[in-house]
Amino acid sequence: MPVALVVTFDPVSQIKVAGNVRHIINFFAGGGAVAAEPSAGFRGRLENIDVGELDRGIGHLNMDEDEGLHKRAISATLRAFN
C-alpha cells in the first residue's frame, strides 16, 4: 500500500523507511537521537531535520509544542494530498 507522507517527532529507536513511503519528515533532537535511514527499496524523499540546529531552544521534551514544527508538518500533509 503506498504511503504519501510520514512525519515523526524524535523517535527513540532507529527507523528504516520502507519502499512504499513517498516522503518522510523526521524531526529529531540531535545528540543521542537517531536519524531515519532508507531501506534498500526506498526511492522517496527523506528529510532528517535536527531541531537543535534550528536555534530556537527546541529539544526532545518540547518539540511537540513547537508551532513552527506543527506548521511545517501540516503544510507537508496538505501538499501530500494535492
Side-chain angles (χ1 to χ4, degrees), residues 9-10 27-30 50-52 56-66 69:
F9 286 84
D10 213 21
F27 296 110
F28 69 100
D50 183 347
V51 298
R56 295 196 322 245
I58 305 170
H60 178 78
L61 296 177
N62 66 353
M63 74 167 50
D64 62 324
E65 301 168 1
D66 186 80
L69 298 183

Side-chain angles (χ1 to χ4, degrees), residues 5-10 25-28 49 51 54 56 58-79:
L5 176 68
V6 173
V7 179
T8 61
F9 286 84
D10 213 21
I25 302 171
N26 176 42
F27 296 110
F28 69 100
I49 301 168
V51 298
L54 299 177
R56 295 196 322 245
I58 305 170
H60 178 78
L61 296 177
N62 66 353
M63 74 167 50
D64 62 324
E65 301 168 1
D66 186 80
E67 188 175 328
L69 298 183
H70 289 180
K71 286 181 181 179
R72 203 162 175 176
I74 290 167
S75 177
T77 302
L78 293 173
R79 281 193 311 273

